[in-house]
Amino acid sequence: QSVLTQPPSASGTPGQRVTISCSGSSSNIGSNTVNWYQQLPGTAPKLLIYSNNQRPSGVPDRFSGSKSGTSASLAISGLQSEDEADYYCATWDDSLNGWVFGGGTKLTVL
Amino acid sequence: QLQLQESGPGLVKPSETLSLTCTVSGGSISSSSYYWGWIRQPPGKGLEWIGSIYYSGSTYYNSSLKSRVTISVDTSKNQFSLKLSSVTAADTAVYYCARRAAAESDAFDIWGQGTMVTVSS
């Protein structure tokens, strides 16, 4: 059971906008910034969003992040087939004194 | 650019100690801006942070693994290492090393390709 809760799956058609949620608590998302990682099949995770809504260099602006209270969201607009991957949220947990990840959401592009 | 590469045995017997090394190339592990961490992913499952280390040697570990984990750093070799003792089949996973840019993104921004470790007799 992951500390951060994500839906196990999400889907959309090319061009659509999809969102993936990440729910936590006051000790993690409620008091720290959230990062998102994209893991393409058979590869290592890649940093997609940091500090709730910042994109590293090279990440398309189709990807955006937001946070409100103890929840965060990742939005992908103009969905493309190459976006099919697993997405993980992560943050620091003040109670556990460690980094915690969501269980991951498998995004399927129909 | 900075690259990380994991190395170590791909097969470990139950009750023994898993040992992995991460070699950092294209940059210095002694930079004050970064922490270095280990994260694992059991087959078909999600990511789990194991622990992190600073170049000075200060460490912090996942509380659920703390009694079995030791992470160390060798700045002369630009490497850091993971030891996980008393392994069981539940420790079978892909093990990743990663850099955490504490002063910038405060995220794991560069990852190694990962190495699969199977615990089996």
Side-chain angles (χ1 to χ4, degrees):
Chain A
Q1 198 80 344
S2 301
V3 173
L4 304 179
T5 301
Q6 296 181 236
S9 63
S11 64
T13 57
Q16 265 192 333
R17 182 178 187 271
V18 297
T19 60
I20 296 171
S21 62
C22 176
S23 177
S25 67
S26 57
S27 66
N28 43 66
I29 293 179
S31 49
N32 296 290
T33 58
V34 177
N35 306 316
W36 289 90
Y37 299 89
Q38 176 193 58
Q39 187 175 32
L40 297 170
T43 69
K46 167 192 167 185
L47 180 62
L48 197 64
I49 297 287
Y50 67 93
S51 298
N52 302 328
N53 54 19
Q54 302 299 302
R55 286 185 307 276
S57 173
V59 173
D61 59 6
R62 301 187 296 105
F63 295 91
S64 61
S66 63
K67 184 185 110 168
S68 179
T70 59
S71 294
S73 291
L74 172 70
I76 309 172
S77 60
L79 198 62
Q80 300 180 2
S81 58
E82 56 259 42
D83 298 333
E84 193 159 281
D86 293 325
Y87 292 85
Y88 294 90
C89 58
T91 188
W92 178 261
D93 190 294
D94 293 335
S95 294
L96 297 174
N97 270 317
W99 290 94
V100 292
F101 288 88
T105 298
K106 184 176 183 61
L107 175 64
T108 301
V109 181
L110 302 169
Chain B
Q1 76 267 19
L2 191 91
Q3 292 185 316
L4 285 72
Q5 178 68 58
E6 306 88 351
S7 59
L11 181 64
V12 182
K13 289 182 168 56
S15 80
E16 295 190 345
T17 296
L18 177 161
S19 296
L20 296 175
T21 295
C22 182
T23 300
V24 179
S25 59
S28 174
I29 201 171
S30 299
S31 171
S32 59
S33 301
Y34 306 112
Y35 285 76
W36 307 91
W38 288 97
I39 296 135
R40 69 180 182 178
Q41 184 173 35
K45 297 187 178 181
L47 301 167
E48 178 182 36
W49 173 74
I50 299 170
S52 295
I53 191 165
Y54 194 53
Y55 77 96
S56 63
S58 63
T59 55
Y60 53 113
Y61 302 133
N62 184 323
S63 56
S64 69
L65 299 169
K66 189 172 184 177
S67 63
R68 298 194 293 129
V69 173
T70 301
I71 298 176
S72 59
V73 64
D74 187 337
T75 54
S76 67
K77 295 182 179 179
N78 230 30
Q79 296 175 333
F80 62 106
S81 298
L82 168 70
K83 290 189 186 299
L84 181 65
S85 64
S86 305
V87 296
T88 68
D91 295 310
T92 294
V94 176
Y95 285 76
Y96 297 100
C97 59
R99 184 186 82 170
R100 174 186 151 223
E104 303 158 17
S105 62
D106 199 19
F108 294 103
D109 63 342
I110 298 177
W111 296 61
Q113 65 183 28
T115 187
M116 180 69 200
V117 178
T118 301
V119 178
S120 175
S121 56

